[in-house]
Amino acid sequence: MLSPSFPQRAPWGTADRLRAWQREALEEYFRIPDRRDFLVAATPGAGKTTFALTLAVELLRTNEIDRVIVVAPTEHLKTQWADAAARVHIRLDPRFRNSHWAPSRQYHGVVVTYAQVAAKSSVHKHLTEDARTLVILDEVHHGGDALSWGDAIRDAYGPARRRLLLSGTPFRSDTAPIPFVDYLPDESGARVSSTDYAYGYGRALQDGVVRPVLFHMYAGKMRWRTSAGDELEAHLGQDNTKDVTSQAWRTALDPEGEWMPAVLSAADRRLTEIRHHVPDAGGLVLATDQTVARAYAKILHALTGERPTVVLSDDATASERIEKFSASNDRWMVAVRMVSEGVDVPRLAVGVYATSSSTPLFFAQAIGRFVRARRRGEAASVFLPNVPVLMKLANELEKQRDHALDRRSKDEDGLDDSLLESANREEDASDALTQEFSYQAISSLAHFDRVVFDGKEFGQLAEPGTPEEEEFIGLPGLLEPEHVHELLMQRQSRQSRLREAREARTPAATTTLPEPLHRTLREQRQLLNSLVGLYARQTGQPHGAVHAELRRLCGGPAVAQATVTQLQSRIDLLRRRVRS
């Protein structure tokens, strides 16, 4: 029995080897004669390009089409498509411009971007009408990025003989319709996208097509100063309000603190472990903006002695830098979001998610850079700040999503993803998470929190550089998916034994780790009740009236249900009143 990722025969003789899902998708495509639109939703790294070009070769061979047009999200991907097409003897022009009006006769077609089509759709409509055309819309969800883009795509490619729609993330964070996608009502009556063939991460992992991804979650203690001059402190990963979480998250990503250097050091040690088994493995840091990207690069240079590749979207040589890194043996690349989708660097095995973007779309695209498997057994590690929205996305990696037209604009986490997605397209724009409050980062400390894999959590709090952390940093570089769960369970048990042995030797040792949440809550409640009693004696008010007044002024539920942050705000208010 051959692995599903490498079946023995190639249908129609159009490729040396096709994966099982690619063969199934081709059979489904040709099951209905003269099919015009076909949406394939396949997890990043599964091989959508190979599938699309295999189909294009067959349609050209059977004289169903005369021309192939590929629409890609970025200029960099135009060259990737043209190079891949050349390997199956389809000649595509990636340098076609709107001023050309027609491709050179030696080409089978052209590769263009969505922005290029939107700028002058009449040129691309003429290309489509001038020949029997197959249009391949790569990452088709970009067709809804703006109303004008969607209208231009429909105008230009409405006359196409065939349209193949591809997406690794066939959904959007807003409700803009995706061109040429059918929307059907679900059980609740909401209109959701209809996919003709789906190949999710879960099945791809079973087939050995993608790597298992381990999420190394890091928490820590953050301190910052508000615009009012108040100093606040919170533990990343504990039960905080949304605004406190966003500011703690932002403080963690500050390159001047200790959190990012500690996490980058851990990620580099993980990369070293993987390179023992995969010598050319590389790492990628996804940064929020250009300033912090350069700062992270300096930290990595100090850690490794090697200058990382820095990729910025306003750099004219960005595509060349990515290609050079992909072909090299260099350790690290630092990029500002633009490497989050479609860019093919198969040797990436370690990632650091150092951005405050929280949309499911961006997260899925970012993780997609690390899942592409070159051979059986390769594993990927992605280092994340322990914030609830990212924890949820990491636990739901295998969840298949559809694009819904009928829903509220805000997600369940309360974050306005449409604003964040808009900021993603302009790297110098501030995130919605960090615009709301002015602040100044003071300090940050990191500690290992846990590993998330397949929706399950392993490990416990550990300080950076300790043997307890190394249990999960030092995992083997080659891991079979079916063995990962068992290995993580073993490492969790060893981590517990190491901690118990160390604490038995040095019971009075100091630690930066926070107290367990239940202890912190108990102490906060006791302190609050003491202050309420003192204030009640000063003012003559009943205890219940004081508690009610605190809830009215500070918000939140009753004391028994309040979070640490909510209790702390009431304590701070009462302290000021008692002193006055």
Side-chain angles (χ1 to χ4, degrees):
M1 292 291 291
L2 292 172
S3 164
S5 42
F6 301 109
Q8 190 170 11
R9 69 177 182 89
W12 299 285
T14 54
D16 294 331
R17 284 179 173 177
L18 284 180
R19 292 167 172 166
W21 82 263
Q22 295 164 338
R23 184 177 68 243
E24 287 178 4
L26 284 169
E27 291 170 352
E28 175 61 25
Y29 182 89
F30 288 108
R31 186 177 61 82
I32 299 177
D34 300 321
R35 187 193 290 269
R36 193 173 189 191
D37 290 308
F38 192 72
L39 172 59
V40 174
T43 190
K48 294 184 292 297
T49 302
T50 298
F51 165 76
L53 293 173
T54 302
L55 176 60
V57 168
E58 177 61 14
L59 293 176
L60 285 168
R61 187 187 70 80
T62 57
N63 201 33
E64 289 288 327
I65 59 170
D66 308 309
R67 178 172 291 164
V68 178
I69 297 174
V70 177
V71 188
T74 65
E75 288 287 333
H76 177 77
L77 291 178
K78 288 166 61 175
T79 304
Q80 281 191 191
W81 268 100
D83 290 344
R87 290 193 285 271
V88 292
H89 311 294
I90 295 178
R91 298 182 299 278
L92 298 179
D93 182 6
R95 296 179 178 84
F96 179 83
R97 294 292 179 262
N98 287 351
S99 58
H100 294 170
W101 279 93
S104 180
R105 296 184 65 178
Q106 68 262 30
Y107 289 108
H108 291 104
V110 300
V111 190
V112 296
T113 64
Y114 287 96
Q116 193 175 341
V117 178
K120 200 167 186 180
S121 63
S122 58
V123 171
H124 304 276
K125 184 175 183 179
H126 172 75
L127 280 180
T128 307
E129 293 177 328
D130 192 44
R132 296 175 302 165
T133 304
L134 166 67
V135 178
I136 300 172
L137 295 163
D138 184 28
E139 303 299 350
V140 67
H141 54 272
H142 282 283
D145 276 0
L147 183 61
S148 60
W149 283 31
D151 291 342
I153 297 299
R154 293 183 187 91
D155 177 59
Y157 302 123
R161 179 75 173 267
R162 308 248 182 165
R163 290 183 293 258
L164 176 62
L165 319 178
L166 304 175
S167 183
T169 51
F171 56 90
R172 293 181 57 81
S173 297
D174 56 25
T175 57
I178 302 172
F180 308 121
V181 170
D182 290 330
Y183 290 88
L184 302 175
D186 63 7
E187 61 276 2
S188 66
R191 292 170 296 167
V192 297
S193 57
S194 175
T195 302
D196 296 291
Y197 185 88
Y199 186 66
Y201 175 80
R203 183 183 164 195
L205 185 61
Q206 292 176 354
D207 291 348
V209 170
V210 295
R211 298 166 174 161
V213 179
L214 286 72
F215 293 102
H216 298 250
M217 312 298 297
Y218 275 73
K221 185 168 70 173
M222 311 297 151
R223 292 179 63 234
W224 65 95
R225 183 177 293 108
T226 69
S227 57
D230 296 329
E231 289 191 11
L232 298 181
E233 179 179 303
H235 282 279
L236 201 66
Q238 287 197 347
D239 187 16
N240 298 313
T241 59
K242 189 180 73 172
D243 59 315
V244 169
T245 295
S246 68
Q247 295 310 303
W249 186 355
R250 187 178 183 184
T251 303
L253 300 183
D254 179 19
E256 299 298 323
E258 296 183 36
W259 194 91
M260 274 303 301
V263 171
L264 289 174
S265 175
D268 187 65
R269 298 199 308 275
R270 178 72 188 131
L271 180 60
T272 297
E273 185 64 40
I274 292 176
R275 284 168 74 104
H276 290 156
H277 305 275
V278 186
D280 68 338
L284 170 65
V285 180
L286 287 169
T288 299
D289 59 45
Q290 297 187 11
T291 302
V292 296
R294 294 188 181 96
Y296 295 160
K298 289 181 180 178
I299 295 171
L300 285 169
H301 183 208
L303 285 170
T304 66
E306 296 182 19
R307 292 190 181 277
T309 298
V310 180
V311 179
L312 307 175
S313 59
D314 62 355
D315 184 351
T317 64
S319 292
E320 289 79 3
R321 286 174 177 269
I322 295 171
E323 290 177 0
K324 183 179 178 181
F325 178 82
S326 181
S328 74
N329 196 38
D330 295 346
R331 292 179 72 89
W332 283 99
M333 175 165 60
V334 182
V336 181
R337 293 176 173 157
M338 65 171 292
V339 190
S340 65
E341 181 180 56
V343 175
D344 185 13
V345 187
R347 68 186 190 90
L348 288 176
V350 176
V352 179
Y353 194 90
T355 171
S356 54
S357 297
S358 65
T359 66
L361 178 62
F362 180 82
F363 186 85
Q365 292 168 354
I367 303 308
R369 300 315 98 216
F370 306 98
V371 301
R372 186 183 298 275
R374 297 177 296 177
R375 60 178 172 133
R376 187 83 184 185
E378 288 186 342
S381 288
V382 178
F383 289 71
L384 300 176
N386 184 4
V387 292
V389 62
L390 296 185
M391 179 69 77
K392 180 181 179 183
L393 292 172
N395 276 294
E396 295 179 349
L397 182 63
E398 296 188 25
K399 180 179 179 181
Q400 291 184 216
R401 303 173 185 267
D402 294 311
H403 180 224
L405 291 182
D406 305 309
R407 58 184 172 86
R408 295 179 298 174
S409 60
K410 288 183 182 290
D411 282 1
E412 291 177 1
D413 59 15
L415 301 173
D416 195 331
D417 281 348
S418 62
L419 291 178
L420 282 166
E421 188 183 23
S422 177
N424 288 347
R425 291 195 290 272
E426 299 181 33
E427 64 188 42
D428 56 345
S430 297
D431 284 311
L433 278 174
T434 58
Q435 282 180 334
E436 205 169 335
F437 301 92
S438 297
Y439 93 115
Q440 176 189 358
I442 298 176
S443 66
S444 60
L445 292 173
H447 58 256
F448 169 83
D449 193 274
R450 72 196 81 179
V451 166
V452 175
F453 174 71
D454 193 24
K456 300 178 180 63
E457 300 174 4
F458 305 87
Q460 54 185 304
L461 295 176
E463 296 187 40
T466 61
E468 294 98 296
E469 182 200 39
E470 289 299 324
E471 285 297 323
F472 293 96
I473 297 297
L475 291 165
L478 294 176
L479 291 170
E480 293 290 342
E482 60 269 24
H483 299 151
V484 175
H485 184 276
E486 179 182 352
L487 179 62
L488 289 172
M489 290 291 291
Q490 293 173 356
R491 292 300 175 103
Q492 181 172 264
S493 297
R494 278 177 31 181
Q495 186 198 43
S496 297
R497 291 197 296 271
L498 282 169
R499 167 166 288 176
E500 290 170 0
R502 179 172 57 81
E503 290 177 350
R505 292 193 303 270
T506 55
T510 59
T511 178
T512 63
L513 301 183
E515 286 286 333
L517 180 60
H518 70 91
R519 294 185 183 274
T520 304
L521 282 170
R522 184 186 62 186
E523 292 169 358
Q524 296 286 80
R525 289 167 186 157
Q526 289 175 346
L527 177 56
L528 177 61
N529 287 331
S530 298
L531 286 170
V532 167
L534 178 60
Y535 186 72
R537 287 195 298 274
Q538 286 182 351
T539 61
Q541 297 182 48
H543 287 212
V546 177
H547 279 294
E549 178 71 3
L550 290 172
R551 287 184 62 186
R552 186 182 68 81
L553 294 173
C554 300
V559 171
Q561 289 79 42
T563 66
V564 170
T565 304
Q566 290 166 339
L567 292 172
Q568 186 62 51
S569 66
R570 299 177 197 182
I571 290 168
D572 292 341
L573 176 60
L574 269 186
R575 277 176 170 161
R576 291 194 296 270
R577 288 193 173 187
V578 168
R579 283 198 296 267
S580 65

